Every structure is written in C-alpha cells, then in structure tokens.
C-alpha cells in the first residue's frame, strides 16, 4: 500500500498544478441555527491566484498566549497542514513535520463531502433524483441481493449510510457484487459502509453526460479555485489536494453554496445536507458529520453513544472527517473554517476520533471559549 501511495503522489504531483500556493500570513497585516453569513461579510480568495487576505489573531481578540500550546499539540500529533479561516480570511496557517503548503495531501473520507455536494448539484440540475433506485444507473445485478432487495436501495440511502448492506463481510470497501449482500431493509439500520458510498461516483458517472470527473472539474473545482485530483486506491477513490483547497471548499459551505456572487448549490440543499438525514444516527447528514445532537454512531461499530459527537466544539459545527484525522470543520456561528491534514494522531480510525475533542480543547484556549 505504501508503494501505491508513493506512486500516486508522484503521478499526482506531475499531473496537478495548484493555484493556491502558500502566502506567508505576515505579508498581510446553541442549538439554534445561526444566520448564514452574507457575501458582504465573507472574503473569497481570487481564482488562479496565490493571494489570500489574512488577519491577525489579535484583531479578533483571541488569546494569543495560547497559540504556542496549540502549535505544539499540532506538531506532536502528526499534523502536516493546519489552517483557520475567519470570515474567509486566513488567521493561522501552519505546516509541520517536513510539509509545505504546496503538498497534496489525502482527504480520505473527508472527501465524501465533495461527492455529496456533486450529488446534490446533479439533483438540482435534474440529472438524478435522490429517491431514484441505484439500479436505474448501475443496472440489475450490481449487488449480490435479490432483484427486489436491490431495487429498494436508493441514492439517498447511499448518501445516508442506510442501504442495509451486510457489514459483516471481510471488506466493507469492496464494491464487487459478491461483496454487497443483504442484511437489513434500507432505512432500518445505520452503518458506515464505504462500498455503498463509493458507488455514488459510478452512479453520477452514468447519469451525467460528460461523466463525474468532468462535472466535478467544471461545476465545483474550477469554480472555487481548488487544485487536486481523485486517485484510485484499491476500491476507494481518494481526493488529494493542498490544505488551502480544502479550506476553499469549507468556505463554500460556510457561505451556503455561494462562491462570491455565484450560487453553485442552493442554500436549501446545503442546509439539508448538513441536517440529520435520519433518526438512526442524528449526527450524520448527507455524508457530513454533525455536532450538537443527543446521540451518535461511529464507523465500524453498531452501537449508539449518548451525548454530542465533539463535546468541546460548538453545537452547530459540521464536519468532513477522514481516516487518520483529516478534519474539515465548518462553524457558522463563529464564521470559522478549520482544516487539519496529516498523519493519524494515534490509532488509525475512520471518521471521528478522540482527537476531535482534544483539538477543540486547545482551540478553545485560543478562542477564549
């Protein structure tokens, strides 16, 4: 796997150019749903430019004496890239452990949020409907289920981890039909089954005349000035990009689907994607993790835990969370976007981890919360 990873990075570095290279920041001096920031209150970095406006932690009244504590924690926990945006401007941007701003790093499952955005764009453009049977796009026999069981699975089930597939198989990332067996009816159990998520991209690839990759480039990546590429690693397609590109996508979601003056996705659909998608795991939307709920489920476990997903974080936080502690936090009540990319802080876990709460403990020292 390491050899594949290194090969992909070499190919990636030759095939992808970044429009968001590092600019040193010193160059530029409750349960209620918060109001969406308006474009007049948010800054959007220009497309195809290295420029990105900054502001100082002092200007926001942060406790700057605690930044060193955060800094040490990030470096010692395997972090490679860390960015905090406030209202779109860079407040902190740090690179650790022999990493640079131009490095293309894996999003892992935080990239599920990219697929969610594209799926909703396709639905808004009437290329698909979320309640369409997946079979309509992948054909009969895409699973090892009976035709009736297979027909009951929809795109919405794929987006909410409620497809009902058998999660006791040896490899829940395997998308071969023989790996996709029936266990429960859809909507009766929540389980973080990667294979059913991964098949969303083939669904879109068959539904969109120009295919998934072209649609992604034209309707999202180029619109907000991201760099990056999807790379196939075994059964899974992983997105690689700079940390700034992840921050751009976070900013797009903070602004509820509007980039500067252009609406890429309606605010209603962005909000729907970041609202509890079912009652089985209220901390899960359409491939987004949600804080502030009374209980939650975790990947690889078929159990419910009481309390909030990240107790130290704001209740309105929504997150893209990937294996090995890839973090994209969007906090509307504070106009914040926070990116953490790098190696696993401890155990290699999918999605949420104890690191989320530890990191927010250090962030609160800086924010003064």
């Amino acid at each position: 796997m390491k050899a594949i990873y290194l090969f992909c990075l070499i190919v990636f570095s030759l095939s992808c150019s970044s429009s968001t290279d590092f600019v040193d920041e010193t160059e530029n001096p409750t349960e209620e749903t918060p109001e969406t920031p308006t474009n007049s209150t948010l800054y959007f970095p220009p497309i195809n430019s290295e420029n990105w406006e900054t502001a100082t932690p002092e200007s926001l009244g942060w406790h700057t004496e605690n930044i060193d504590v955060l800094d040490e924690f990030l470096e010692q926990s395997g972090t490679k890239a860390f960015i905090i945006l406030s209202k779109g401007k860079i407040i902190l941007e740090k690179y650790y452990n022999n990493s640079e701003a131009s490095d293309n790093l894996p999003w892992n499952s935080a990239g599920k949020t990219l697929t969610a955005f594209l799926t909703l764009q396709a639905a808004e453009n009437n290329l698909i409907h979320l309640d369409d049977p997946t079979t309509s796009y992948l054909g009969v026999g895409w699973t090892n289920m009976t035709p009736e069981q297979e027909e009951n699975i929809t795109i919405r089930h794929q987006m909410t981890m409620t497809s009902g597939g058998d999660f006791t198989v040896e490899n829940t990332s395997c998308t071969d039909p023989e790996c996709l067996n029936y266990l429960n009816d859809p909507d009766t159990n929540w389980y973080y089954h990667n294979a059913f998520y991964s098949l969303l991209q083939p669904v879109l690839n068959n539904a969109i005349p120009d295919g998934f990759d072209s649609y992604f480039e034209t309707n999202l990546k180029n619109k907000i000035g991201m760099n990056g590429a999807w790379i196939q690693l075994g059964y899974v397609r992983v997105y690689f990009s700079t940390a700034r590109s992840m921050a751009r996508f976070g900013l797009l979601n903070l602004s509820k689907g509007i980039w500067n003056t252009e609406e890429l996705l309606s605010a209603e659909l962005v909000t729907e994607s970041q609202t509890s998608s079912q009652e089985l795991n209220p901390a899960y939307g359409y491939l987004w993790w949600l804080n502030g709920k009374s209980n939650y489920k975790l990947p690889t476990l078929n159990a419910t835990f009481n309390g909030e997903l990240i107790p130290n974080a704001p209740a309105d936080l929504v997150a893209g969370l990937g294996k090995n502690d890839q973090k994209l936090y969007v906090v509307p009540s504070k106009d914040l976007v926070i990116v953490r990319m790098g190696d696993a802080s401890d155990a290699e876990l999918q999605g949420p981890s104890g690191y989320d709460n530890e990191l927010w403990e250090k962030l609160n020292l800086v924010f003064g919360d």
Side-chain angles (χ1 to χ4, degrees):
M1 180 57 77
K2 287 184 177 179
I4 295 175
Y5 177 82
L6 291 173
F7 171 75
C8 290
L9 285 181
I10 293 171
V11 172
F12 181 83
S13 64
L14 292 174
S15 62
C16 298
S17 62
S18 170
S19 62
T20 55
D21 292 337
F22 174 65
V23 177
D24 194 305
E25 66 186 45
T26 59
E27 292 181 3
N28 298 297
T30 70
E31 293 292 327
E32 293 183 0
T33 302
E35 293 184 6
T36 303
T38 63
N39 282 357
S40 62
T41 65
L42 290 178
Y43 164 80
F44 294 87
I47 306 298
N48 299 323
S49 171
E50 297 180 357
N51 297 322
W52 195 317
E53 286 189 17
T54 67
T56 65
E58 290 84 355
S59 69
L60 300 177
W62 290 0
H63 292 229
T64 56
E65 70 275 11
N66 293 322
I67 290 178
D68 287 345
V69 176
L70 172 64
D71 198 50
E72 181 179 6
F73 172 77
L74 290 167
E75 183 170 20
Q76 292 183 353
S77 59
T79 304
K80 293 185 176 180
F82 184 77
I83 296 174
I84 299 179
L85 306 183
S86 176
K87 296 186 177 181
K89 294 183 180 181
I90 293 176
I91 311 302
L92 291 176
E93 181 173 32
K94 302 279 187 175
Y95 297 91
Y96 308 92
N97 298 305
N98 300 314
S99 295
E100 299 177 351
S102 58
D103 289 348
N104 294 301
L105 303 170
W107 291 41
N108 295 338
S109 283
K112 285 180 168 68
T113 58
L114 294 169
T115 302
F117 198 93
L118 262 289
T119 303
L120 292 173
Q121 279 187 322
E124 193 164 53
N125 291 327
N126 293 315
L127 295 170
I128 61 167
H129 299 284
L130 297 188
D131 292 318
D132 287 343
T134 303
T135 300
S136 299
Y137 302 95
L138 298 185
V140 176
W142 65 276
T143 70
N144 196 32
M145 304 179 191
T146 67
E148 293 78 12
Q149 292 167 344
E150 188 177 270
E151 182 74 13
N152 288 333
I153 300 173
T154 67
I155 294 173
R156 193 185 304 273
H157 295 135
Q158 292 178 265
M159 294 183 72
T160 59
M161 299 292 180
T162 59
S163 296
D166 186 359
F167 52 79
T168 67
V169 294
E170 183 177 352
N171 183 1
T172 55
S173 291
C174 174
T175 55
D176 297 333
E178 57 267 27
C179 296
L180 305 177
N181 301 309
Y182 172 86
L183 184 64
N184 307 108
D185 287 344
D187 284 328
T188 61
N189 192 47
W190 187 95
Y191 193 85
Y192 196 78
H193 201 310
N194 258 325
F196 289 91
Y197 152 74
S198 293
L199 288 168
L200 275 172
Q201 291 195 14
V203 165
L204 295 178
N205 198 55
N206 291 334
I208 298 169
D210 292 333
F212 174 86
D213 288 339
S214 177
Y215 195 77
F216 174 77
E217 295 265 338
T218 302
N219 291 277
L220 178 54
K221 177 183 172 181
N222 294 342
K223 292 284 188 181
I224 66 174
M226 293 175 64
N227 84 313
W230 293 95
I231 293 179
Q232 191 79 38
L233 299 176
Y235 287 105
V236 181
R237 290 189 94 201
V238 176
Y239 199 72
F240 284 72
S241 81
T242 61
R244 282 193 172 197
S245 287
M246 183 184 276
R248 283 175 179 263
F249 181 64
L251 178 56
L252 174 65
N253 281 274
L254 181 66
S255 68
K256 295 296 183 184
I258 296 175
W259 187 264
N260 205 354
T261 59
E262 183 177 5
E263 182 182 89
L264 305 189
L265 183 65
S266 69
E268 291 77 14
L269 282 177
V270 174
T271 298
E272 182 178 337
S273 72
Q274 297 168 4
T275 302
S276 300
S277 58
Q278 29 63 50
E279 296 181 355
L280 301 164
N281 182 6
Y284 207 71
Y286 292 156
L287 305 173
W288 283 90
W289 290 94
L290 317 175
N291 201 33
K293 309 305 175 184
S294 59
N295 60 76
Y296 59 91
K297 287 190 171 185
L298 295 173
T300 75
L301 299 173
N302 192 27
T304 298
F305 299 88
N306 292 324
E308 296 186 358
L309 184 68
I310 311 174
N312 286 332
D316 66 323
L317 173 145
V318 299
L321 302 175
K323 185 177 180 180
N324 297 345
D325 292 319
Q326 316 313 315
K327 312 293 185 184
L328 172 59
Y329 302 127
V330 179
V331 188
S333 62
K334 295 182 177 293
D335 295 336
L336 290 175
V337 172
I338 301 174
V339 168
R340 187 272 183 191
M341 306 179 83
D343 296 330
S345 61
D346 189 8
E348 295 187 356
L349 299 176
Q350 298 182 45
S353 70
Y355 186 74
D356 291 290
N357 214 40
E358 293 179 44
L359 176 53
W360 272 97
E361 179 183 25
K362 304 300 187 295
L363 287 169
N364 288 336
L365 295 175
V366 174
F367 298 151
D369 295 341

